[in-house]
Amino acid sequence: MLQTLLSVIGLVMVGIPRRIVETAETVAFENPEDAILRGWTIPMARIEGIGYLLLVRRTGLLSGVVGVVFGLIGSVAAVAPRRYLNFGLSLAYENPDDISVKSWVIPMTRVLGITALVMTVVSLRDSDDH
């Protein structure tokens, strides 16, 4: 199921990254019209989609170095969601200080971080059993 979900997300991100980013802005930002994307944001979204597809092709979905990195990123999002989000906004947007996120974005960032961390721990534990 996780592999199917990551495959779909990866394919969509590769195929229509601009639409995904614009939809995410509309859903998550109070003022999406003020957000100014950096030139590399859309190509990086496409590369992220390719990364998901490569991740799915591997056996042991979150094993090895990939799993550790995924878990570390998840732990940062879980422990410091505001800093994690601010860092991401500064990478993706020319004017991150002008962007207001909706009230649910910070708690959801924490939830997604915890989810990534749990998935990594379970996957690494399962790979040790084999």
Side-chain angles (χ1 to χ4, degrees):
M1 162 116 166
L2 179 59
Q3 288 180 322
T4 302
L5 177 62
L6 287 177
S7 294
V8 170
I9 290 170
L11 287 170
V12 170
M13 289 178 73
V14 169
I16 54 169
R18 183 168 302 281
R19 187 174 300 162
I20 298 302
V21 170
E22 289 171 353
T23 300
E25 289 172 343
T26 300
V27 170
F29 298 166
E30 295 287 352
N31 56 339
E33 66 282 350
D34 294 339
I36 302 170
L37 285 173
R38 293 189 185 276
W40 62 66
T41 302
I42 299 302
M44 290 307 292
R46 185 169 274 133
I47 290 170
E48 184 179 351
I50 292 168
Y52 285 135
L53 293 172
L54 292 173
L55 182 64
V56 169
R57 287 194 47 111
R58 290 182 45 103
T59 57
L61 190 59
L62 294 175
S63 61
V65 174
V66 173
V68 171
V69 170
F70 191 73
L72 288 174
I73 291 170
S75 66
V76 173
V79 173
R82 168 61 72 181
R83 285 188 182 170
Y84 179 85
L85 184 62
N86 287 344
F87 179 72
L89 290 173
S90 69
L91 288 177
Y93 294 92
E94 293 181 13
N95 61 335
D97 294 333
D98 297 336
I99 299 169
S100 297
V101 297
K102 293 183 178 176
S103 62
W104 59 267
V105 173
I106 298 298
M108 183 56 73
T109 300
R110 185 180 308 272
V111 167
L112 291 173
I114 291 167
T115 302
L117 186 56
V118 168
M119 285 172 43
T120 300
V121 169
V122 168
S123 181
L124 291 173
R125 188 191 70 212
D126 288 348
S127 68
D128 285 345
D129 291 345
H130 292 106

